[in-house]
Amino acid sequence: TYHSPKNCLPGGGWVFKSSDPVTGVIPGQPEAVINRVAIEKGFDRQLILYWYQDRGRGVASEYAAKGYLIWDAMTRNRTDGALVRISTPVVGTEEEAYGHAVEFLRVSWPPILLHLPG
């Protein structure tokens, strides 16, 4: 099963500088809430967008994703899901990095979608 970046990133020495929910980022799922996180480790800064993509749903909360996993196991006999994470270095401003990450997602979403649980 997937695990939360809230656990593994700090374990790797990264420090969370900010964490905000955002909407309107996943193509075709404008209401989906995802996580926007700024992290630092030494002089390195990154902006990360991540969420759980479970059988057609984009979900920010790991607890909601686990709840859907249990529900889908009982009602659909399915327990597959994915953690989608896009990371980009913050070279200029955090907003510029966010723009790059969103544009990357927009362009790469069609081929990524082919490999996600539907």
Side-chain angles (χ1 to χ4, degrees):
T1 184
Y2 41 67
H3 62 278
S4 173
K6 292 178 184 176
N7 297 323
C8 68
L9 290 171
W14 291 95
V15 176
F16 276 65
K17 300 310 280 183
S18 66
S19 179
D20 300 300
V22 293
T23 59
V25 178
I26 303 175
Q29 299 180 49
E31 73 290 342
V33 179
I34 70 168
N35 298 294
R36 172 184 163 158
V37 178
I39 59 174
E40 288 183 353
K41 181 171 154 181
F43 292 110
D44 292 328
R45 297 185 309 146
Q46 290 189 12
L47 182 90
I48 298 173
L49 303 178
Y50 79 91
W51 69 95
Y52 305 93
Q53 189 71 30
D54 296 334
R55 293 147 307 283
R57 301 180 200 98
V59 180
S61 165
E62 59 267 17
Y63 301 111
K66 292 289 185 182
Y68 283 125
L69 181 87
I70 293 166
W71 177 254
D72 289 342
M74 294 185 306
T75 61
R76 299 180 183 184
N77 199 29
R78 304 252 328 242
T79 58
D80 51 345
L83 167 67
V84 180
R85 180 177 130 182
I86 297 171
S87 303
T88 187
V90 177
V91 177
T93 68
E94 193 176 302
E95 285 306 311
E96 289 171 331
Y98 177 69
H100 291 297
V102 169
E103 180 61 16
F104 175 80
L105 175 60
R106 186 190 67 75
V107 170
S108 63
W109 187 246
I112 290 172
L113 194 55
L114 296 174
H115 301 282
L116 295 175

